[in-house]
Amino acid sequence: MHVFQHVPTRNEAKTQMVRIAICDDNDNDRAKAQELCTYYFDAKLQRPVELTAYDNPVDMLAAIEKGIVFDLLLIDIYMPGLLGTEAVRELRDNANDVPVIFLTTSLDHAYEAFGLRADGYLHKPFSIEQFEQGLEPVVENIDARRKAAIVIKTRDGVRRLDFDDFLYAETL
């Protein structure tokens, strides 16, 4: 596992860090995805991004199981040991709805990927424009999900509770 944190200096106060896991067994493809993410978040969005790279889905799943939370997964399909689609199926079976974009050399798994509620499917090699088009709606959705909250008055004052943090709610 390698963590790369790139924090742009402009507009930092207005934006939240986006945490992305990149999972690809090919060193060059993993590096390209990191490079494109860094460029997209710095040059296009001017917002901080934290990239965590994995060379296999087993390590990525173990990190998630230990409590690491990602806003987005960029994952290859064909990897030794466990296919990317199998890894995402395991996440979905455990009620993890993290957005996923598959980055792959094959079109053979597109139907299966969207059955797993994939947010994108980019065929390698892809251009920076294709990458940005795939990322843009997902990042907008991440921001929208973060804004979904309720404000309540407690004994300690007023608190904002994100809907993503709710397990159960009841009124009296």
Side-chain angles (χ1 to χ4, degrees):
M1 173 179 66
H2 304 284
V3 177
F4 302 91
Q5 191 172 32
H6 179 74
V7 183
T9 57
R10 297 172 293 207
N11 300 325
E12 283 183 85
K14 298 179 184 177
T15 60
Q16 286 186 312
M17 174 86 64
V18 176
R19 297 163 311 237
I20 300 175
I22 300 171
C23 186
D24 198 315
D25 63 318
N26 183 293
D27 294 339
N28 293 333
D29 289 343
R30 197 171 52 250
K32 180 180 181 183
Q34 291 171 320
E35 178 185 327
L36 292 176
C37 279
T38 299
Y39 170 77
Y40 179 73
F41 281 90
D42 187 18
K44 297 289 183 172
L45 301 181
Q46 292 91 40
R47 70 183 294 175
V49 63
E50 180 180 281
L51 306 172
T52 306
Y54 298 93
D55 61 5
N56 69 78
V58 174
D59 289 347
M60 182 191 70
L61 289 173
I64 292 169
E65 188 175 307
K66 288 180 183 175
I68 295 178
V69 177
F70 295 106
D71 297 307
L72 172 62
L73 304 181
L74 300 176
I75 187 167
D76 186 21
I77 291 179
Y78 291 112
M79 290 181 281
L82 186 68
L83 294 177
T85 51
E86 293 170 337
V88 172
R89 181 172 287 108
E90 186 173 323
L91 289 171
R92 298 301 189 239
D93 288 347
N94 290 311
N96 188 320
D97 65 346
V98 62
V100 174
I101 296 176
F102 287 102
L103 311 175
T104 185
T105 57
S106 172
L107 297 175
D108 295 341
H109 295 275
Y111 183 76
E112 178 184 14
F114 287 106
L116 293 168
R117 298 184 316 276
D119 295 88
Y121 195 95
L122 293 174
H123 186 252
K124 296 176 191 177
F126 44 82
S127 67
I128 182 69
E129 292 82 14
Q130 292 167 321
F131 187 79
E132 290 175 4
Q133 288 172 353
L135 230 54
E136 185 175 359
V138 178
V139 173
E140 288 174 6
N141 190 31
I142 289 168
D143 291 339
R145 286 177 61 172
R146 285 181 174 171
K147 291 177 185 173
I150 186 170
V151 177
I152 61 169
K153 185 177 180 181
T154 69
R155 284 179 260 187
D156 300 325
V158 177
R159 294 193 55 200
R160 179 183 188 274
L161 301 174
D162 294 330
F163 284 134
D164 283 346
D165 294 335
F166 277 83
L167 297 176
Y168 175 79
E170 182 176 302
T171 62
L172 302 177

